[in-house]
Structure formats: C-alpha cells, structure tokens
Amino acid sequence: MKITKACQADFEQIINIENTCFPPNEAASPEMRKRIEIIPDTFLVASENGEVLGYIVGPVTNSRYIDDELFEKVIPNRIGLPTQTILSLAVAPKAQGKGVATALLNELAKVSKAQGREVISLTCLENLKPYYKVHGYVDEGIAESVHGGEVWYNMTFNLSN
C-alpha cells in the first residue's frame, strides 16, 4: 500500500468510496473534485496496484473546530494556520480492518507537522469516538456542526506530542 496526494484520475474511485461509506445527507461528492484541485497537499489516498483503498481530506483553518462552511466552500490551504481538519476519512469496505485508515491518519499527521500545524480537528458521530480515542484524539464535546442533520463530536489530536 502506498499513500500519495489525490489526483483527478482518482476521482471516480474516491466518489465510489464516499458514496458507499456515507449516507447522502453526509456525503460530499460534488466538492471532491474541487478539493483534489484546491487542497491537494491535504487530500491523501491510500492505494494498491492502482486501486484506491481509502482517502483522507481536509483544509486548514484558523479555528480549533470544524464549522459547516468548510463542507461547502473549498479555499486553498494557507501557511501559518494552526489547525488541520479532517472532513472525510473513508475506506472501501473490502479494505476495512486492514490498517488503511490508521495509515492515512498517521500520514496526514506527518504532513501537518511538516507544515507547522498545531492540531488536527475532526467531527465524528458518537459510535466513532472510541476509534479516534485509540489513535490519540481527545473528545472535546458536542460540535456546533449540524452537517447532515446529525449530532457530531469535536475530536482533536495535538501535533506537539
């Protein structure tokens, strides 16, 4: 398995994974092409033999937590902003349970550290909190986000560790 920056050639496979892993009210399919183009440094794919197994993506921001505007508007990553976000982390069903998500989380942490970020921030549903806690993320309570009409939890990972 190798992890690289996403490219437009990966788009269809990314969309297939997105639509398999997220219900329509949470999926971000229309924005994926823009994210590949505008924030390629923080849009990573795990692949094997040309097949995308999973991806992780998120812009950087000045805010500690994700706001819903980040799901709707894609702006280029800027130097000096402290927070790397994760808007989507998804793995194809046949590749789940094989360490793909962990590898993507670890690689994004390396990229974020190299870019001088201080923290990684994501929102997740309650059932995923234990997964992120195992990977060093801290639960910082219910998020303000109403994306997809769900209750989300703010999870953060301190990059100075």
Side-chain angles (χ1 to χ4, degrees):
M1 177 177 66
K2 65 179 182 174
I3 298 178
T4 59
K5 293 178 183 175
C7 65
Q8 292 298 338
D10 299 326
F11 177 74
E12 291 300 326
Q13 292 182 78
I14 289 167
I15 291 304
N16 288 338
I17 294 169
E18 174 83 0
N19 291 329
T20 299
C21 293
F22 295 100
N25 63 321
E26 295 174 21
S29 300
E31 292 79 20
M32 286 300 183
R33 192 174 298 279
K34 287 187 241 173
R35 290 177 184 163
I36 292 170
E37 180 182 326
I38 297 171
I39 56 171
D41 56 322
T42 57
F43 195 145
L44 307 175
V45 295
S47 60
E48 195 170 73
N49 301 319
E51 181 180 2
V52 175
L53 304 175
Y55 67 88
I56 191 168
V57 61
V60 298
T61 183
N62 203 35
S63 174
R64 183 166 182 85
Y65 303 121
I66 292 173
D67 65 52
D68 286 346
E69 187 176 338
L70 291 176
F71 289 103
E72 300 158 10
K73 185 178 175 185
V74 185
I75 57 171
N77 290 333
R78 295 192 337 244
I79 295 170
L81 296 180
T83 305
Q84 171 65 56
T85 67
I86 298 173
L87 299 183
S88 293
L89 170 59
V91 175
K94 71 179 189 176
Q96 291 176 2
K98 298 179 180 177
V100 175
T102 298
L104 287 164
L105 285 169
N106 291 341
E107 187 63 24
L108 185 62
K110 286 180 197 171
V111 168
S112 300
K113 272 187 174 184
Q115 292 178 343
R117 310 297 175 207
E118 298 169 11
V119 67
I120 297 176
S121 181
L122 61 87
T123 56
C124 70
L125 298 173
E126 186 168 16
N127 66 317
L128 290 173
K129 291 190 320 184
Y131 173 81
Y132 289 109
K133 285 180 179 179
V134 164
H135 290 86
Y137 284 74
V138 175
D139 180 357
E140 295 193 0
I142 294 176
E144 290 182 14
S145 176
V146 294
H147 179 70
E150 302 282 358
V151 175
W152 300 96
Y153 292 84
N154 288 314
M155 304 289 289
T156 60
F157 180 81
N158 187 341
L159 289 167
S160 63
N161 293 342

